[in-house]
């Protein structure tokens, strides 16, 4: 996946930007400065992918990820979150996901529920995160592995039905995403046991 990302990114960059990125990827000791400078050298549209590649090339550890996330702009924070599945951090960067889920930034929330969040969030926290998506209008297509995590989750189904009742009682429409999530929760689970 990252090889393909790098190929596509180099196709989008002009010669100067591509040269800068090649040098930056070979300078893991300068990760912090290069991470911040990616927008200036690669342009706003390509900076996200460049930052993901920089983090991977440097094999950023949890402390580095926390530093870059903590000092970063929203765009830089999203890049850290998107890089996590490709880094040797195990579940140690879960606090960054939890922080993103506490924000009101829909793009951060959506990124937090990507592959890393899907793998490491405990089921109760995952349920609350999906409900927050429904509340804030983040499309559930952003939730990685939604069908697998929702399937057979009776508590999740109960929470969804409760939210649907509240919306109906308040005269507010029930979004199709909520109906979809409820259908997924009602489906039988096909793999191992679910975390309580």
């Amino acid at each position: 996946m990252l090889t393909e990302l790098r190929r596509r990114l180099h196709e989008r960059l002009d010669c100067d930007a591509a040269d800068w990125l090649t040098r930056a990827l070979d300078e893991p000791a300068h990760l912090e400065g290069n991470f911040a400078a990616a927008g200036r050298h690669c342009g706003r549209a390509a900076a996200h992918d460049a930052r993901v590649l920089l983090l991977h090339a440097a094999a950023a550890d949890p402390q580095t990820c926390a530093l870059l996330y903590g000092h970063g702009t929203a765009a830089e924070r999203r890049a850290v979150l998107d890089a996590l599945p490709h880094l040797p951090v195990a579940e140690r960067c879960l606090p960054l996901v939890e922080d993103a889920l506490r924000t009101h930034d829909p793009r951060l929330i959506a990124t937090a529920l990507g592959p890393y969040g899907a793998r490491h969030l405990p089921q109760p926290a995952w349920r609350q995160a999906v409900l927050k998506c429904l509340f804030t209008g983040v499309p559930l297509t952003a939730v990685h592995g939604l069908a697998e995590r929702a399937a057979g989750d009776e508590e999740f189904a109960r929470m969804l039905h409760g939210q649907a009742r509240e919306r109906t009682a308040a005269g507010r429409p029930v979004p199709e995403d909520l109906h979809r999530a409820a259908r997924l929760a009602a489906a039988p689970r096909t793999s191992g046991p679910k975390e309580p």
Side-chain angles (χ1 to χ4, degrees):
M1 178 257 181
L2 289 175
T3 302
E4 176 63 15
L5 178 63
R6 185 170 183 169
R7 185 190 64 76
R8 284 188 284 112
L9 183 57
H10 273 280
E11 287 175 356
R12 294 162 55 198
L13 297 176
D14 63 30
C15 290
D16 288 343
D19 287 346
W20 177 85
L21 182 59
T22 298
R23 288 193 307 273
L25 290 171
D26 289 335
E27 299 173 338
H30 298 105
L31 171 62
E32 190 174 343
N34 288 333
F35 186 85
R40 188 167 70 252
H41 289 283
C42 298
R44 251 176 109 179
H48 179 88
D49 291 345
R51 289 180 178 123
V52 170
L53 290 174
L54 288 167
L55 287 162
H56 179 259
D61 60 22
Q63 293 78 15
T64 301
C65 291
L67 175 70
L68 294 174
Y69 179 93
H71 292 191
T73 63
E76 290 168 351
R77 290 179 172 198
R78 288 196 307 276
V80 172
L81 293 170
D82 262 346
L84 293 178
H86 312 289
L87 299 176
V89 296
E91 72 286 346
R92 292 174 293 167
C93 283
L94 193 54
L96 306 184
V97 171
E98 294 165 344
D99 179 82
L101 292 171
R102 286 192 293 269
T103 72
H104 297 289
D105 183 331
R107 294 174 302 170
L108 264 179
I109 294 168
T111 309
L113 287 168
Y116 184 84
R119 185 180 313 135
H120 295 293
L121 273 173
Q123 194 70 6
W126 180 86
R127 292 179 193 123
Q128 291 296 334
V130 176
L131 290 176
K132 183 163 186 175
C133 287
L134 293 168
F135 183 75
T136 57
V138 173
L140 294 192
T141 52
V143 181
H144 185 82
L146 174 66
E148 293 79 10
R149 293 230 29 190
D153 188 338
E154 295 177 5
E155 175 61 15
F156 186 46
R158 185 193 66 74
M159 295 166 77
L160 291 165
H161 289 304
Q163 187 169 116
R165 282 194 304 273
E166 287 176 16
R167 284 175 174 267
T168 301
R172 292 165 47 215
V174 178
E176 177 52 36
D177 263 356
L178 197 155
H179 292 301
R180 177 175 168 244
R183 288 193 298 271
L184 291 172
R189 184 157 175 82
T190 57
S191 57
K194 186 182 293 296
E195 192 174 338

